[in-house]
Amino acid sequence: MKQFMIGQYGHFDSNKFEKDFRNDFHGIEACLFTTHEDCLNLMSAARDRKFQIGVHYPFRAHPSRLRDAPFLSSDETIREEAFQHVQEELDYLTTVQPEYVLFHYPKPVILDDRVNWDQWRFTDPSEYVMESNYTFDELVERSEALFKWLTEKSKQYHFVPVLEFDALNKYIYETDYLEKLLEQYPTIKLCLDTGRLFIQEKIDPYFDALKIIRKYAKYAHSIHLWNVQVKDGIRNNRYPVLPHLSPEEGWAPIEAYLTIIREENSDVRIMFEHNSSLVSEEQLEQCYTWVDHILNKQADPRFHS
């Protein structure tokens, strides 16, 4: 379980930390902390329990800003502000010394015009643009500028830049430009989110989550792992992954996802981005044990009927 991580969002929650964290876990991913005291508490726990800190941008909550950095905006002023805001955050994080800093990609999200996106959650219309209004060449050009900038900052501030997939369109799943960039700028890694991938497959008839995982898992630094049920709508968001949650009942095929990930990139970090309050402590332990057995190919009769 040395590759496992938990999340802390909004503040450092000592109760969640004691319930969810295990001494052999790799670390904690932090996001949207509201006070400097929370930062100090996280750093103190990391020193005492000897774990790594990862950051999901932004580390500090800014009520006047959108959460994600619109690095790829068509508006040059908005792009420049995004880079400046990230620069300010990296300066602040010098005391935290995170192992990695994660950003959503692409932002704004490029949405396939053929798909009904009503069930995809956005907090603001500026978070997305329709594919018909954003060309492939624009994406490639701005992505390369982003990769170059993040590579330079990673050397300066000593962190791994991680790009977490948001909703994806054919520019990413039908071309190889992103693979070429990841090969050209190997410092930059990806994050695959199991819940997002599953939901997109359910609402987008052109999208295949298993193919995306097979294509990009080798470039992943971390997996955001959680389950969700899509059956007459989206239910049970951020549910911990458990062996009895059947795809036949509308749950994501987590074992199939993790099997591909094991084959392509067995050392990837697993960040449990679930709501652990939805299950008992016994079920939470079962979640951790089940995932560990899948990733390490260990047969366990408890997980087979």
Side-chain angles (χ1 to χ4, degrees):
M1 297 186 184
K2 293 183 184 299
Q3 67 205 96
F4 288 0
M5 303 182 70
I6 68 166
Q8 289 275 17
Y9 299 103
H11 66 288
F12 183 78
D13 186 336
S14 57
N15 292 327
K16 176 179 172 60
F17 175 63
E18 293 302 331
K19 177 185 177 183
D20 293 8
F21 195 77
R22 302 292 184 268
N23 285 331
D24 56 352
F25 277 18
H26 180 76
I28 286 178
E29 182 176 292
C31 180
L32 292 171
F33 276 21
T34 55
T35 70
H36 185 62
E37 182 181 3
D38 286 314
C39 173
L40 295 177
N41 289 337
L42 173 65
M43 293 168 62
S44 175
R47 284 193 300 269
D48 293 344
R49 301 285 284 270
K50 295 180 173 55
F51 62 78
Q52 295 292 318
I53 296 172
V55 165
H56 186 308
Y57 180 84
F59 181 65
R60 297 174 293 171
H62 293 278
S64 63
R65 298 179 189 170
L66 294 176
R67 187 188 72 167
D68 298 319
F71 289 124
L72 308 181
S73 173
S74 297
D75 187 312
E76 184 177 359
T77 300
I78 292 175
R79 289 200 308 275
E80 290 176 354
E81 288 178 349
F83 283 103
Q84 180 58 39
H85 291 160
V86 172
Q87 178 67 61
E88 293 168 3
E89 198 79 338
L90 293 176
D91 288 337
Y92 178 84
L93 288 170
T94 54
T95 56
V96 180
Q97 297 183 314
E99 176 186 62
Y100 66 86
V101 181
L102 178 150
F103 308 91
H104 277 210
Y105 177 89
K107 276 291 177 170
V109 178
I110 304 168
L111 297 180
D112 189 329
D113 296 80
R114 302 169 294 178
V115 177
N116 181 346
W117 294 98
D118 288 349
Q119 295 185 81
W120 199 268
R121 294 193 298 178
F122 294 106
T123 59
D124 189 272
S126 66
E127 288 191 79
Y128 62 87
V129 61
M130 302 311 296
E131 182 182 303
S132 56
N133 295 322
Y134 200 103
T135 69
F136 176 69
D137 289 341
E138 287 178 287
L139 176 62
V140 173
E141 179 183 354
R142 291 172 190 154
S143 293
E144 183 154 19
L146 171 62
F147 273 59
K148 183 177 180 180
W149 189 84
L150 285 176
T151 297
E152 292 171 353
K153 296 303 174 183
S154 73
K155 294 175 182 177
Q156 181 181 353
Y157 291 93
H158 309 292
F159 71 96
V160 177
V162 178
L163 301 179
E164 177 184 358
F165 280 157
D166 210 299
L168 305 176
N169 79 327
K170 64 184 180 184
Y171 295 165
I172 289 178
Y173 60 74
E174 289 186 359
T175 74
D176 63 356
Y177 91 91
L178 185 56
E179 291 166 286
K180 289 179 178 178
L181 282 179
L182 290 163
E183 296 289 348
Q184 184 179 352
Y185 299 93
T187 302
I188 296 176
K189 303 299 181 184
L190 297 178
C191 171
L192 306 180
D193 184 300
T194 58
R196 286 177 183 273
L197 291 169
F198 179 63
I199 291 172
Q200 180 167 352
E201 181 174 271
K202 288 299 182 180
I203 67 177
D204 179 352
Y206 308 99
F207 184 81
D208 187 324
L210 289 170
K211 286 184 178 179
I212 287 291
I213 295 171
R214 179 70 72 182
K215 184 173 184 177
Y216 289 110
K218 65 177 68 70
Y219 303 107
H221 182 273
S222 62
I223 306 296
H224 279 180
L225 186 63
W226 52 286
N227 211 333
V228 60
Q229 189 178 29
V230 183
K231 188 177 183 182
D232 300 322
I234 298 173
R235 309 175 182 176
N236 297 306
N237 242 321
R238 305 287 172 186
Y239 207 87
V241 300
L242 291 165
H244 71 273
L245 302 179
S246 168
E248 286 71 32
E249 292 298 317
W251 295 94
I254 296 298
E255 186 166 7
Y257 292 173
L258 290 176
T259 298
I260 295 174
I261 289 163
R262 180 191 69 214
E263 293 168 355
E264 298 288 341
N265 187 356
S266 60
D267 295 326
V268 69
R269 309 275 185 263
I270 303 294
M271 209 290 287
F272 291 93
E273 201 178 38
H274 55 216
N275 180 354
S276 62
S277 69
L278 297 174
V279 298
S280 67
E281 292 190 16
E282 181 181 0
Q283 288 174 309
L284 181 61
E285 189 60 33
Q286 184 185 34
C287 164
Y288 294 156
T289 303
W290 184 55
V291 174
D292 189 46
H293 279 283
I294 295 172
L295 292 175
N296 292 290
K297 298 185 183 180
Q298 298 177 22
D300 190 319
R302 291 176 295 172
F303 305 135
H304 299 275
S305 57

